[in-house]
Amino acid sequence: MAWNYKKISIVGFGRFGKTLYELLKDDFEVVVFDKKKPGAKLAKGAEFTNKLADIYDSDAIFYAVPIREFENVIVAHKKFFKENHVLIDVLSVKVHAEKVFEKYLKGTKVQAILTHPMFGPDSVQDGFKGLPIILDKFRANVDVYNFWKKYFAKKGLRVIEMSATEHDKLAARSQGLTHFIGRLLDSFGFEPTRIDSLGAKKLFEVKAQTCNDTWQLFNDLQHYNPHTKQMRIKLGDCYDKLYNKLLPRWVEKEAVVYGIQGGKGSFNEEAIMYYIRNANIERFKIKYLYTTENVMKALH
């Protein structure tokens, strides 16, 4: 069966919803749904609506909504789904979209494709050519899937096919890491100076691009992708190892000072002595700090 879509809908008209509209507007009649009244004007052949039923006059529906809102949207819209509908999400976390679709499309013939356009409003200033988009056939038949695969390729996008699980593993160490570094630079107060090297300028670009997105997106990327927690733990471990290399090395004649919470004869003294024996440390001193308050002061 050949598929030829004339009318599509976009649910959500935030930063990425607008980008998606720019990608699709020249090839389809477009219906845009957003709870707020957008101030933007649409091209001829496109229209805004705030009625759910209007969205599902289209055969293909794109969901450009926050990750945390996706399930609520699908629940609210489910009663309008028909067998001829093809649902296409653009969430940055694919396993979450996959689970939601599986839960609410079970027992229906509604088709669904998982996508992640790896670009946004800041990266399409020079057009869409060469930008990557991730596709997972998921619940679509071959004809439907091939239509959209070929369509995205004709628009100049670089189509990459992979499963939701593989995507999220890679995205945690790519997009998730980049957004985390960008927010870290922002918290640090990283700003341009008159003597910036090329590397510093690239870091500022990372900060500017990631912080242009909402805090909600950053938060959702870190919590809905099951692999980002491990990424953050590994990043912290790497930071500790690198920082430790900068600490002064003890000269052989000097003793290493170990502070413990407790006094002589305490369990903590037994514990530090056990560690010292096993580590073959010959020159050491024990500082008895006794209280938690003293420990915290020593650490500070």
Side-chain angles (χ1 to χ4, degrees):
M1 179 180 178
W3 290 79
N4 185 22
Y5 299 93
K6 292 184 179 180
K7 189 175 183 180
I8 61 100
S9 293
I10 298 174
V11 179
F13 205 59
R15 271 170 55 82
F16 189 77
K18 293 181 175 69
T19 304
L20 186 62
Y21 167 73
E22 290 298 322
L23 177 69
L24 302 170
K25 67 181 176 65
D26 295 331
D27 306 298
F28 306 98
E29 294 179 35
V30 181
V31 175
V32 175
F33 174 85
D34 197 278
K35 290 181 178 179
K36 300 177 183 178
K37 290 185 177 180
K41 292 183 179 180
L42 300 181
K44 185 177 180 181
E47 61 178 326
F48 285 115
T49 184
N50 56 9
K51 296 180 180 178
L52 290 183
D54 293 345
I55 303 169
Y56 295 94
D57 284 337
S58 301
D59 292 324
I61 298 90
F62 287 80
Y63 297 93
V65 299
I67 298 169
R68 69 180 66 182
E69 296 297 333
F70 182 62
E71 184 169 9
N72 292 335
V73 169
I74 295 302
V75 170
H77 293 209
K78 184 182 176 182
K79 61 184 177 181
F80 297 100
F81 295 167
K82 300 175 184 175
E83 290 185 5
N84 65 304
H85 284 147
V86 179
L87 313 183
I88 305 174
D89 88 286
V90 295
L91 270 62
S92 300
V93 181
K94 300 309 341 139
V95 168
H96 178 63
E98 183 179 51
K99 289 179 179 178
V100 171
F101 275 146
E102 284 179 341
K103 182 178 179 179
Y104 296 102
L105 300 184
K106 185 177 181 180
T108 74
K109 294 183 179 180
V110 178
Q111 299 187 58
I113 299 174
L114 305 175
T115 82
H116 182 196
M118 302 294 294
F119 52 83
D122 297 314
S123 51
V124 300
Q125 301 298 320
D126 298 321
F128 293 93
K129 188 175 181 180
L131 297 175
I133 183 170
I134 311 302
L135 296 185
D136 182 341
K137 179 175 173 292
F138 189 42
R139 283 178 58 103
N141 66 42
V142 174
D143 289 329
V144 168
Y145 178 71
N146 284 340
F147 172 88
W148 287 106
K149 178 182 174 181
K150 291 177 182 177
Y151 173 77
F152 292 132
K154 286 181 180 179
K155 298 297 287 187
L157 297 175
R158 179 163 56 90
V159 175
I160 303 172
E161 299 176 271
M162 68 175 60
S163 69
T165 299
E166 183 183 4
H167 167 276
D168 284 5
K169 286 180 179 178
L170 294 176
R173 299 172 64 91
S174 178
Q175 184 186 31
L177 176 62
T178 302
H179 276 257
F180 192 88
I181 295 296
R183 292 288 174 173
L184 188 63
L185 291 171
D186 186 54
S187 297
F188 177 80
F190 187 70
E191 296 292 344
T193 72
R194 293 182 295 165
I195 61 170
D196 285 346
S197 64
L198 179 61
K201 291 176 181 178
K202 291 294 183 183
L203 283 177
F204 184 71
E205 288 178 13
V206 169
K207 175 203 162 187
Q209 184 173 342
T210 54
C211 293
N212 273 344
D213 289 321
T214 64
W215 177 262
Q216 184 183 52
L217 174 61
F218 170 71
N219 196 54
D220 288 354
L221 284 174
Q222 300 301 319
H223 287 100
Y224 283 86
N225 186 328
H227 303 284
T228 50
K229 180 180 179 180
Q230 191 58 41
M231 175 274 292
R232 295 194 303 271
I233 292 172
K234 183 174 182 180
L235 184 64
D237 289 341
C238 291
Y239 171 86
D240 289 341
K241 289 176 182 177
L242 182 61
Y243 190 87
N244 286 344
K245 288 182 179 180
L246 300 175
L247 295 176
R249 302 294 94 191
W250 291 102
V251 182
E252 187 174 335
K253 67 179 182 179
E254 293 182 311
V256 181
V257 180
Y258 295 96
I260 65 170
Q261 180 179 352
K264 290 186 177 182
S266 66
F267 173 79
N268 283 339
E269 183 186 47
E270 292 182 25
I272 194 63
M273 289 304 300
Y274 176 81
Y275 167 77
I276 287 169
R277 287 193 298 269
N278 279 275
N280 295 316
I281 297 171
E282 296 181 358
R283 300 187 65 80
F284 64 92
K285 293 180 181 178
I286 298 175
K287 190 170 184 179
Y288 300 96
L289 300 173
Y290 297 100
T291 67
T292 301
E293 181 181 2
N294 288 338
V295 170
M296 298 307 294
K297 286 180 179 178
L299 284 172
H300 180 72

